Amino acid sequence: MTRLIPALLLIAAILFAASPLFVTNFDGFNPALFPVPQDNPPVQPAPYTFAIWGLLYTWLIVSSAFGLWKRAEDPAWQPARPWLLASLALGIFWLPMAERSVIGATVLIWAMLVLALVALFRTRRHDRWWFQAPVATYAGWLLAASSVSVGMILAGWGVMEATPAALVALALALVLGLTVQSKVLRAPGLGLALIWALIGVAVNNSNPLNMPVLGLALLGVLAFIVMLAFGRRQRRKGA
């Protein structure tokens, strides 16, 4: 029984990575799914940033395979595994949902985020690169994607214009991201994933220039750099 959850985690990671095979080349929400169609909304990062999914899929599979092979009964791995398993299991269905319902996909990705954050808080520095780092990076990207979904809904349902909606979404990502990162300074992967997303938003708003969104995104990058530098110093003191 001690190997059951590690085995299920590996299966979930593989199925999660395979989920793009079950959709028709998903490259963002279909603008037609919104009452107010969203064509290249300012809240969305530049397309190249989504290449991070290749890293995340691979890292989570490698981590899960190593965990099953070498750390199946390791007590340092056990507390986080069920939560990560639940997040990845939901993730298998995210792309099919995103093709059909923006609201459904948003609810699903927020649930994935909450579960991933619980998993992150339950990781330890033990086997940092094998387990903590992929979980942190995965959680960081989910946090960015969840905030973007909020901005898309605000603009897509006409609650506010696209730029104010993007600013609200960025503010949400910054507040949540910096708060979580301050609690897990030992796991810089979360902040690095958010920096990657914020740079993507800045690039997307550089041409045509959207100065409010560009400025807030770059301010967020600076805030996370400062936070991560502080965390590195704290880790060195604790070493």
Side-chain angles (χ1 to χ4, degrees):
M1 288 297 292
T2 57
R3 300 180 70 86
L4 178 60
I5 290 182
L8 291 175
L9 184 57
L10 176 58
I11 293 169
I14 292 171
L15 291 176
F16 182 46
S19 62
L21 300 176
F22 303 106
V23 298
T24 56
N25 193 29
F26 182 83
D27 58 356
F29 290 121
N30 184 344
L33 292 175
F34 299 89
V36 181
Q38 296 297 293
D39 294 299
N40 192 29
V43 72
Q44 192 161 281
Y48 76 86
T49 58
F50 295 98
I52 194 175
W53 277 116
L55 169 67
L56 293 175
Y57 289 144
T58 303
W59 209 353
L60 288 167
I61 290 173
V62 170
S63 170
S64 301
F66 176 82
L68 176 61
W69 180 39
K70 291 289 189 180
R71 299 290 188 268
E73 300 180 22
D74 191 326
W77 284 55
Q78 306 293 31
R81 275 176 167 147
W83 300 94
L84 181 60
L85 171 60
S87 180
L88 295 181
L90 290 179
I92 296 168
F93 304 99
W94 188 84
L95 282 173
M97 176 66 77
E99 284 198 321
R100 294 166 176 80
S101 169
V102 177
I103 299 292
T106 299
V107 171
L108 197 58
I109 203 167
W110 274 94
M112 291 165 63
L113 170 63
V114 170
L115 292 166
L117 289 176
V118 175
L120 174 59
F121 276 99
R122 289 171 178 251
T123 60
R124 300 292 179 265
R125 292 188 67 177
H126 174 65
D127 284 332
R128 176 181 173 190
W129 293 105
W130 285 110
F131 195 43
Q132 182 193 84
V135 173
T137 309
Y138 168 65
W141 186 253
L142 286 181
L143 199 157
S146 299
S147 301
V148 167
S149 291
V150 170
M152 298 282 284
I153 286 175
L154 290 174
W157 266 261
V159 177
M160 56 183 64
E161 295 296 321
T163 292
L167 294 174
V168 169
L170 287 177
L172 177 62
L174 292 178
V175 170
L176 288 179
L178 290 169
T179 300
V180 172
Q181 189 66 81
S182 71
K183 304 296 183 182
V184 283
L185 291 173
R186 57 187 167 78
L190 182 133
L192 291 173
L194 281 158
I195 287 172
W196 178 255
L198 289 166
I199 290 175
V201 171
V203 169
N204 197 40
N205 285 275
S206 62
N207 186 22
L209 181 64
N210 186 329
M211 198 60 214
V213 177
L214 174 64
L216 184 55
L218 292 178
L219 182 63
V221 170
L222 179 60
F224 277 106
I225 289 174
V226 171
M227 176 70 75
L228 294 180
F230 175 74
R232 184 180 181 186
R233 200 166 97 180
Q234 292 299 106
R235 290 194 302 275
R236 283 182 172 179
K237 284 182 179 180

